[in-house]
Coordinates of all heavy atoms in Angstrom, one line a residue:
Y1 N 0.8 -1.2 0.0 CA 0.0 0.0 0.0 C 0.9 1.3 0.0 O 1.9 1.3 0.6 CB -0.9 0.0 1.2 CG -2.0 -1.0 1.3 CD1 -1.8 -2.2 1.9 CD2 -3.2 -0.7 0.7 CE1 -2.8 -3.2 1.9 CE2 -4.2 -1.7 0.7 CZ -4.0 -2.9 1.3 OH -5.0 -3.9 1.3
G2 N 0.3 2.3 -0.6 CA 1.0 3.6 -0.5 C 0.8 4.1 0.9 O -0.2 3.8 1.5
S3 N 1.7 4.9 1.4 CA 1.7 5.4 2.8 C 0.4 6.2 3.1 O -0.1 6.2 4.2 CB 2.9 6.1 3.1 OG 3.1 7.3 2.2
S4 N -0.1 6.9 2.1 CA -1.2 7.8 2.3 C -2.5 7.1 2.5 O -3.5 7.7 2.9 CB -1.3 8.9 1.2 OG -1.5 8.3 0.0
V5 N -2.6 5.8 2.1 CA -3.9 5.1 2.2 C -3.9 4.0 3.1 O -4.9 3.3 3.4 CB -4.3 4.6 0.8 CG1 -4.3 5.7 -0.2 CG2 -3.4 3.5 0.3
K6 N -2.7 3.7 3.7 CA -2.7 2.5 4.7 C -3.7 2.7 5.8 O -3.8 3.8 6.4 CB -1.2 2.4 5.3 CG -0.3 1.8 4.3 CD 1.1 1.6 5.0 CE 2.1 1.0 4.1 NZ 3.5 0.9 4.7
G7 N -4.4 1.6 6.1 CA -5.3 1.7 7.2 C -6.7 2.2 6.8 O -7.7 2.0 7.5
R8 N -6.8 2.7 5.6 CA -8.1 3.2 5.1 C -8.6 2.4 3.8 O -9.8 2.3 3.7 CB -8.0 4.7 4.7 CG -7.6 5.6 5.9 CD -7.7 7.1 5.5 NE -6.8 7.4 4.4 CZ -7.2 8.0 3.2 NH1 -8.5 8.2 3.0 NH2 -6.3 8.3 2.3
F9 N -7.7 2.0 3.0 CA -8.0 1.3 1.8 C -7.6 -0.2 1.9 O -6.6 -0.5 2.6 CB -7.3 1.9 0.6 CG -7.7 3.3 0.2 CD1 -8.5 4.1 1.0 CD2 -7.2 3.8 -1.0 CE1 -8.9 5.3 0.6 CE2 -7.6 5.1 -1.4 CZ -8.4 5.9 -0.6
T10 N -8.4 -1.0 1.3 CA -8.1 -2.4 1.2 C -8.2 -3.0 -0.2 O -9.2 -2.8 -0.8 CB -9.0 -3.2 2.1 OG1 -9.0 -2.7 3.5 CG2 -8.7 -4.7 2.2
I11 N -7.1 -3.6 -0.6 CA -7.1 -4.2 -2.0 C -7.4 -5.7 -1.8 O -6.9 -6.4 -0.9 CB -5.8 -4.0 -2.7 CG1 -5.9 -4.4 -4.2 CG2 -4.6 -4.7 -2.0 CD1 -4.8 -3.9 -5.1
S12 N -8.1 -6.3 -2.7 CA -8.4 -7.7 -2.7 C -8.4 -8.2 -4.2 O -8.6 -7.4 -5.1 CB -9.7 -8.0 -2.0 OG -10.8 -7.4 -2.6
R13 N -8.3 -9.5 -4.3 CA -8.2 -10.1 -5.7 C -9.0 -11.4 -5.7 O -9.0 -12.2 -4.8 CB -6.8 -10.3 -6.0 CG -6.5 -10.9 -7.4 CD -5.0 -10.8 -7.7 NE -4.7 -11.4 -9.0 CZ -3.6 -11.3 -9.6 NH1 -2.6 -10.7 -9.1 NH2 -3.4 -11.9 -10.8
D14 N -9.7 -11.6 -6.8 CA -10.5 -12.8 -7.1 C -9.9 -13.4 -8.3 O -10.3 -13.0 -9.4 CB -12.0 -12.5 -7.2 CG -12.8 -13.8 -7.3 OD1 -12.2 -14.9 -7.7 OD2 -14.0 -13.7 -7.0
N15 N -9.0 -14.4 -8.2 CA -8.4 -14.9 -9.4 C -9.4 -15.7 -10.2 O -9.1 -15.8 -11.5 CB -7.2 -15.9 -8.9 CG -6.0 -15.1 -8.4 OD1 -5.8 -13.9 -8.7 ND2 -5.3 -15.7 -7.5
T16 N -10.4 -16.2 -9.7 CA -11.4 -16.9 -10.5 C -12.2 -16.0 -11.4 O -12.7 -16.4 -12.4 CB -12.4 -17.7 -9.6 OG1 -13.2 -16.7 -8.8 CG2 -11.7 -18.6 -8.6
K17 N -12.2 -14.7 -11.0 CA -12.9 -13.7 -11.9 C -11.9 -12.8 -12.6 O -12.4 -11.8 -13.3 CB -13.9 -12.9 -11.0 CG -15.0 -13.7 -10.4 CD -16.0 -12.9 -9.6 CE -17.1 -13.7 -9.1 NZ -18.1 -12.9 -8.3
N18 N -10.6 -13.0 -12.4 CA -9.6 -12.2 -13.0 C -9.8 -10.7 -12.6 O -9.7 -9.8 -13.4 CB -9.6 -12.3 -14.5 CG -9.4 -13.7 -14.9 OD1 -8.6 -14.5 -14.4 ND2 -10.2 -14.2 -15.9
S19 N -10.2 -10.5 -11.4 CA -10.6 -9.2 -10.9 C -9.8 -8.7 -9.7 O -9.4 -9.6 -8.9 CB -12.1 -9.1 -10.6 OG -12.9 -9.3 -11.8
V20 N -9.7 -7.4 -9.5 CA -9.1 -6.8 -8.3 C -10.1 -5.7 -7.9 O -10.7 -5.1 -8.7 CB -7.7 -6.3 -8.6 CG1 -7.7 -5.2 -9.7 CG2 -7.0 -5.8 -7.4
Y21 N -10.1 -5.6 -6.6 CA -11.1 -4.6 -6.0 C -10.3 -3.7 -5.0 O -9.3 -4.1 -4.4 CB -12.2 -5.3 -5.2 CG -12.8 -6.4 -6.0 CD1 -12.4 -7.7 -5.9 CD2 -13.8 -6.1 -6.9 CE1 -13.0 -8.7 -6.7 CE2 -14.4 -7.1 -7.7 CZ -14.0 -8.4 -7.6 OH -14.6 -9.4 -8.3
L22 N -10.8 -2.4 -4.9 CA -10.2 -1.5 -4.0 C -11.4 -0.9 -3.1 O -12.2 -0.2 -3.6 CB -9.5 -0.4 -4.7 CG -8.7 0.6 -3.8 CD1 -7.5 -0.1 -3.1 CD2 -8.3 1.8 -4.6
Q23 N -11.4 -1.3 -1.9 CA -12.4 -0.8 -0.9 C -11.7 0.5 -0.3 O -10.7 0.4 0.4 CB -12.7 -1.8 0.1 CG -13.7 -1.3 1.2 CD -15.1 -1.0 0.6 OE1 -15.6 -1.7 -0.2 NE2 -15.6 0.2 1.0
M24 N -12.4 1.6 -0.5 CA -11.8 2.9 0.0 C -12.8 3.4 1.1 O -13.9 3.7 0.8 CB -11.7 3.9 -1.1 CG -10.9 3.4 -2.3 SD -10.6 4.6 -3.5 CE -12.2 4.8 -4.2
N25 N -12.3 3.5 2.3 CA -13.0 4.0 3.5 C -12.4 5.3 4.0 O -11.2 5.6 3.7 CB -13.1 3.0 4.6 CG -13.8 1.7 4.2 OD1 -14.7 1.7 3.3 ND2 -13.3 0.6 4.8
S26 N -13.1 6.0 4.8 CA -12.7 7.3 5.4 C -12.0 8.2 4.3 O -10.9 8.7 4.5 CB -11.7 6.9 6.5 OG -12.2 6.1 7.5
L27 N -12.7 8.3 3.2 CA -12.2 9.1 2.1 C -12.0 10.6 2.5 O -12.8 11.2 3.3 CB -13.1 9.0 0.9 CG -12.9 7.7 0.2 CD1 -14.1 7.4 -0.7 CD2 -11.6 7.7 -0.7
K28 N -10.9 11.2 2.0 CA -10.6 12.5 2.2 C -10.5 13.3 0.9 O -10.3 12.7 -0.2 CB -9.2 12.6 2.8 CG -9.0 11.8 4.1 CD -7.5 11.8 4.6 CE -7.3 11.0 5.8 NZ -5.9 11.0 6.2
P29 N -10.7 14.6 0.9 CA -10.6 15.4 -0.3 C -9.3 15.2 -1.1 O -9.3 15.2 -2.3 CB -10.7 16.9 0.2 CG -11.5 16.8 1.4 CD -11.1 15.5 2.1
E30 N -8.2 14.9 -0.4 CA -7.0 14.7 -1.1 C -6.9 13.3 -1.7 O -5.9 13.0 -2.4 CB -5.8 14.8 -0.1 CG -5.9 14.0 1.2 CD -6.5 14.9 2.4 OE1 -7.4 15.7 2.1 OE2 -5.9 14.8 3.5

């Protein structure tokens, strides 16, 4: 993870669907 998103964003991957997801919480204007 990039330092600015650690603890707020979570990346996950589903190899069966060839997909990757990014859950973004506590979003900031930056």
